[in-house]
């Protein structure tokens, strides 16, 4: 039987997937020799919390992920990788 999620869970899932896609886009700007490791690390972080049901914790993790991506994006800008 298929498991249906409520609207809030669906919206959180959408936000998580959006964050993951943003991470992959930013990683694509990184130097080639670091991209594979960044992808693996990012995937591992998302997989680690894949089955979390605590919506408050998920919102916190999304916020933390955005901050980390912002830092990586700024670092890549400073090093001239655009």
């Amino acid at each position: 039987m298929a498991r249906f999620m409520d609207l809030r869970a669906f919206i959180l899932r959408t936000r998580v997937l959006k964050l993951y896609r943003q991470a992959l886009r930013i990683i694509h700007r990184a130097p080639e020799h670091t991209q594979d490791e960044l992808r693996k690390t990012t995937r591992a972080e998302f997989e680690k919390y894949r089955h979390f049901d605590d919506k408050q914790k998920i919102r916190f993790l999304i916020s933390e992920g955005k901050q980390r991506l912002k830092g990586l994006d700024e670092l890549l800008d400073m090093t001239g990788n655009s």
Side-chain angles (χ1 to χ4, degrees):
M1 179 184 269
R3 180 176 169 222
F4 295 99
M5 58 180 102
D6 65 355
L7 181 60
R8 291 176 199 262
F10 178 78
I11 291 170
L12 276 178
R13 181 177 183 271
T14 303
R15 290 176 62 199
V16 169
L17 292 173
K18 180 180 176 183
L19 181 64
Y20 187 71
R21 287 190 302 270
Q22 286 175 329
L24 292 179
R25 284 188 206 104
I26 290 173
I27 289 169
H28 186 69
R29 292 180 37 223
E32 259 186 69
H33 65 279
T34 62
Q35 288 181 9
D36 192 42
E37 185 62 32
L38 285 169
R39 257 190 240 101
K40 286 178 185 176
T41 303
T42 301
R43 177 69 185 243
E45 284 291 314
F46 276 83
E47 286 291 332
K48 187 161 101 176
Y49 299 106
R50 181 179 194 152
H51 299 290
F52 257 49
D53 287 333
D54 183 359
K55 291 177 177 74
Q56 185 174 357
K57 176 71 174 177
I58 294 170
R59 283 191 291 272
F60 170 77
L61 291 168
I62 290 170
S63 176
E64 184 179 314
K66 285 181 180 180
Q67 289 298 319
R68 291 172 71 178
L69 274 183
K70 183 179 176 185
L72 178 60
D73 191 33
E74 290 172 355
L75 178 66
L76 291 172
D77 284 344
M78 286 190 298
T79 59
N81 294 301
S82 52

